Amino acid sequence: MDNKKRILFLSIICVFISLRLLRSLRGISFPELSENLIYPVENNNNRTSTTRHVLFGLSGNHTGFLAEFEVALKSVLLNGPRDSMDIHIMADEDAFEALYFILHTKANLVNWVKIPWPIHIKVYNIQNLEEGWKHIIESRFAVATNFTSFSLYRHTIGAYYRIFANEVLPPYVDNVLYIDTDVVILGSLEDIWQQQAATDEDILFSWGARMCSGFMILRPKHETELWELYSQAPEPLLKKIIRGRPVVDDQFLLTVVQKEFPQRVGIISPEWDISAADGSWKRDGGKQMQAGMLHFNGGGESKVAYFEEHTFLKDPIWGLVKYYVNMPWSWANFLLTSKLKSGEQSYSVQVSFETRT
């Protein structure tokens, strides 16, 4: 074979290989290449006036932290209300990229079909908004930080995302249930909207009597009022709260608002207010054994998932979370699809990614 024929033959082979490679890559999306990637296209016909909304806030991509999120997400999916549910995730750049792998590749949620109700998981890249939020946080807390040695970002800035949900979530979201990644849902979340969510327009947020911000119902359209009311609180109140818990953070802001304006805050029932920080949960001498959730209070310093080291996992009650920890995603898919009754309409999980600016 002369040189011209050899070159022509090799050129044909290269073209053939290139075409095969492009064909194999068809349909693969890379979120880092797009500033506003959304897939699949949202179907607004699935959203109803009774759509339930859940919110997570993720900052960083540490494997332990993300493993906690996976457990929490499984528990939400399997205990969600029998109605349309939107799961909103506010994420910085690192978490945004990690979530693409978790949701699309590891959990394979886009291939969850024949589920009994509409579920849309919406991931928002809020990296471009962080600097503005930091300015608000540091300026508003300028006085309070004089009374503590703890950093404002002991739990990372992700702990504040919930306070700025009004800038990210769609305007039609009225009540949204915020859940920390170290929370595991045990009961039906329908109780949250049927019994716990406040209907009084004056209520800014609802949480447990122990005032833990890791599990709470937010009213995004009222969130700007939180800072306004906080600014009206007297300095002695700030000092008093800090003496009891020497940390200035999102929970401090909410506690100040409740102490100064208790009529603007709702209280959810004890079944939805169970935190490891309160002890091993033996209320009423162990007689009250009802739980809608368990909060492990992972902490800001630890980079290890709570289920890798928490002593409470040896407790027969707290140990229930291992059901979700050990559950494969494929099993979670089957459990959800098995709830579909014969003759009922089925749906597919939708997953979308977009950038907020």
Side-chain angles (χ1 to χ4, degrees):
M1 183 182 294
D2 57 33
N3 288 337
K4 289 185 177 179
K5 290 183 178 179
R6 183 177 292 108
I7 292 173
L8 177 61
F9 176 75
L10 292 175
S11 298
I12 293 173
I13 294 297
C14 289
V15 171
F16 176 75
I17 293 174
S18 298
L19 289 174
R20 290 294 300 272
L21 179 60
L22 288 172
R23 186 177 181 180
S24 67
L25 290 174
R26 184 180 299 170
I28 297 179
S29 299
F30 299 91
E32 66 271 20
L33 300 180
S34 171
E35 293 184 355
N36 192 34
L37 176 65
I38 304 179
Y39 50 88
V41 176
E42 180 178 344
N43 180 2
N44 288 318
N45 293 330
N46 287 341
R47 181 174 295 104
T48 69
S49 59
T50 57
T51 294
R52 311 311 191 184
H53 298 277
V54 176
L55 174 65
F56 288 97
L58 276 65
S59 176
N61 58 4
H62 195 279
T63 54
F65 167 70
L66 293 173
E68 290 183 356
F69 165 73
E70 288 190 52
V71 174
L73 181 59
K74 289 177 200 173
S75 71
V76 168
L77 290 170
L78 295 179
N79 292 289
R82 291 189 63 86
D83 211 327
S84 175
M85 178 170 64
D86 286 0
I87 300 174
H88 307 269
I89 307 173
M90 298 169 62
D92 66 6
E93 192 75 42
D94 289 339
F96 186 79
E97 294 178 359
L99 285 168
Y100 179 79
F101 171 76
I102 291 173
L103 301 179
H104 276 267
T105 304
K106 194 171 183 180
N108 196 26
L109 287 170
V110 291
N111 288 318
W112 284 32
V113 296
K114 296 184 178 180
I115 62 172
W117 44 78
I119 296 176
H120 191 165
I121 300 176
K122 306 179 180 185
V123 185
Y124 310 98
N125 184 341
I126 50 76
Q127 189 67 56
N128 295 329
L129 302 175
E130 269 198 5
E131 284 304 315
W133 293 349
K134 285 183 178 180
H135 175 73
I136 294 174
I137 293 166
E138 292 165 11
S139 60
R140 295 286 188 167
F141 284 157
V143 174
T145 51
N146 293 324
F147 312 135
T148 179
S149 60
F150 283 97
S151 167
L152 285 173
Y153 308 112
R154 187 173 71 99
H155 291 282
T156 79
I157 190 174
Y160 293 95
Y161 288 172
R162 71 204 80 176
I163 303 302
F164 298 99
N166 62 302
E167 297 185 28
V168 176
L169 301 189
Y172 53 76
V173 178
D174 183 21
N175 284 308
V176 61
L177 174 65
Y178 172 81
I179 302 175
D180 268 356
T181 60
D182 55 359
V183 169
V184 179
I185 306 301
L186 300 179
S188 172
L189 287 176
E190 184 58 32
D191 182 66
I192 292 295
W193 289 278
Q194 292 291 344
Q195 306 293 334
Q196 311 298 329
T199 56
D200 187 342
E201 280 297 314
D202 288 334
I203 298 298
L204 300 175
F205 64 90
S206 300
W207 61 358
R210 287 166 172 73
M211 297 183 291
C212 176
S213 62
F215 187 92
M216 59 185 301
I217 305 168
L218 292 167
R219 307 291 292 277
K221 63 183 179 181
H222 292 317
E223 284 192 319
T224 55
E225 289 188 63
L226 293 175
W227 293 111
E228 295 171 5
L229 295 179
Y230 172 81
S231 65
Q232 300 176 36
E235 187 173 305
L237 175 62
L238 306 184
K239 292 180 178 179
K240 180 179 179 179
I241 293 174
I242 290 175
R243 281 198 298 269
R245 179 178 177 269
V247 181
V248 176
D249 56 8
D250 64 293
Q251 187 165 297
F252 171 74
L253 165 67
L254 299 169
T255 301
V256 170
V257 172
Q258 171 159 344
K259 294 293 187 181
E260 188 68 6
F261 304 94
Q263 72 279 9
R264 304 297 305 276
V265 179
I267 302 296
I268 60 179
S269 65
E271 292 79 16
W272 299 102
D273 184 27
I274 304 172
S275 297
D278 297 326
S280 59
W281 189 52
K282 298 297 182 184
R283 297 180 188 171
D284 301 328
K287 295 178 182 179
Q288 181 183 325
M289 301 299 286
Q290 298 179 1
M293 49 75 80
L294 294 174
H295 184 194
F296 278 83
N297 303 96
E301 293 82 5
S302 175
K303 299 298 182 182
V304 180
Y306 64 82
F307 51 78
E308 296 290 343
E309 61 179 10
H310 209 292
T311 57
F312 281 11
L313 287 174
K314 298 178 181 179
D315 183 275
I317 300 299
W318 289 85
L320 291 172
V321 303
K322 288 185 284 188
Y323 174 72
Y324 295 101
V325 172
N326 298 325
M327 180 186 296
W329 275 109
S330 58
W331 189 3
N333 182 9
F334 169 74
L335 291 177
L336 188 56
T337 57
S338 67
K339 296 182 179 183
L340 181 66
K341 297 179 181 179
S342 177
E344 284 187 334
Q345 180 180 356
S346 63
Y347 302 87
S348 299
V349 172
Q350 297 184 57
V351 180
S352 64
F353 288 75
E354 57 185 290
T355 296
R356 287 287 194 255
T357 56

